[in-house]
Amino acid sequence: MLGDRAICEGSSSGLAITADQQQQPAQAGAGTSVPLSRYESQKRRDWNTFGQYLKNQTPPVSLSHCNCNHVLEFLRYLDQFGKTRVHSHGCVFFGQPDPPAPCPCPLKQAWGSLDALIGRLRAAYEEHGGSPEGNPFGNGAIRTYLREVKESQAKARGIPYKKKKKKRNNQMIMNKQLPLPNDNTNNNDANAPLTHIA
């Protein structure tokens, strides 16, 4: 599919890119004094890789004709470069987070890597002039696919994915005054301000 494949060092998504694409960021950054952030560099590499993937299709697909089906095919294609062991239903280690021995189950892209990749490509699509309404990376089919990958990997690997709790605002915590543990007053109102006699 992609000619002269090379895996990008430091790439969280393990995308295959051509040698020409590896040189593009260095050439583009030569005329500017501000280096790109790690996120921006990764986003550029991902965008170039996706563009190369579309060009290598038979027949080639232009970015303007790209739809969510091309994105889904791209995500499935990336599994061959994955590093996460996903146990099949017939595997004796199915559902075990730390299997005691190796098994022949396939390596795939981890759900988190795919989710981050889609986020970067979604942003890159709009930065390159695509409309948010027509963004193939934001399509419901992509979200459904990612949810299914997340759930199947959680079951196969025995690792439940928990939704991260939002951090509480420190100011809310500071404003709420709690009684001191050694306070001997019979004040039953936990939210009432404390008064100490000096």
Side-chain angles (χ1 to χ4, degrees), residues 42-168:
Q42 185 67 51
K43 184 169 58 173
R44 178 185 288 177
R45 283 193 301 269
D46 294 342
W47 182 252
N48 290 337
T49 302
F50 182 69
Q52 187 65 43
Y53 171 81
L54 292 177
K55 286 178 189 173
N56 288 333
Q57 297 303 297
T58 309
V61 178
S62 68
L63 285 168
S64 60
H65 291 99
C66 168
N67 61 38
C68 67
N69 292 326
H70 297 110
V71 176
L72 289 172
E73 290 170 11
F74 179 63
L75 294 176
R76 291 183 190 110
Y77 160 78
L78 291 177
D79 273 340
Q80 66 184 307
F81 306 108
K83 299 175 186 170
T84 301
R85 179 94 44 210
V86 180
H87 302 291
S88 60
H89 284 282
C91 179
V92 295
F93 301 130
F94 183 83
Q96 293 185 22
D98 297 313
C103 70
C105 292
L107 293 173
K108 295 187 176 189
Q109 288 288 337
W111 164 79
S113 296
L114 294 177
D115 187 50
L117 169 68
I118 289 299
R120 290 189 299 268
L121 289 174
R122 186 175 185 175
Y125 180 85
E126 293 175 16
E127 286 173 9
H128 285 85
S131 69
E133 299 81 27
N135 192 331
F137 303 100
N139 188 286
I142 305 301
R143 289 191 299 272
T144 300
Y145 175 79
L146 289 174
R147 188 177 336 109
E148 290 171 357
V149 168
K150 178 182 178 181
E151 290 170 0
S152 68
Q153 288 187 5
K155 288 178 186 173
R157 300 181 65 219
I159 301 172
Y161 289 105
K162 295 178 182 174
K163 199 171 194 177
K164 289 184 180 178
K165 293 182 180 179
K166 292 182 181 179
K167 290 184 181 180
R168 292 185 62 175

Side-chain angles (χ1 to χ4, degrees), residues 17-59:
I17 63 172
T18 63
D20 294 337
Q21 289 172 330
Q22 285 180 335
Q23 295 170 358
Q24 282 177 349
Q27 292 168 351
T32 61
S33 60
V34 179
L36 293 175
S37 69
R38 183 176 174 197
Y39 170 80
E40 291 296 329
S41 297
Q42 185 67 51
K43 184 169 58 173
R44 178 185 288 177
R45 283 193 301 269
D46 294 342
W47 182 252
N48 290 337
T49 302
F50 182 69
Q52 187 65 43
Y53 171 81
L54 292 177
K55 286 178 189 173
N56 288 333
Q57 297 303 297
T58 309

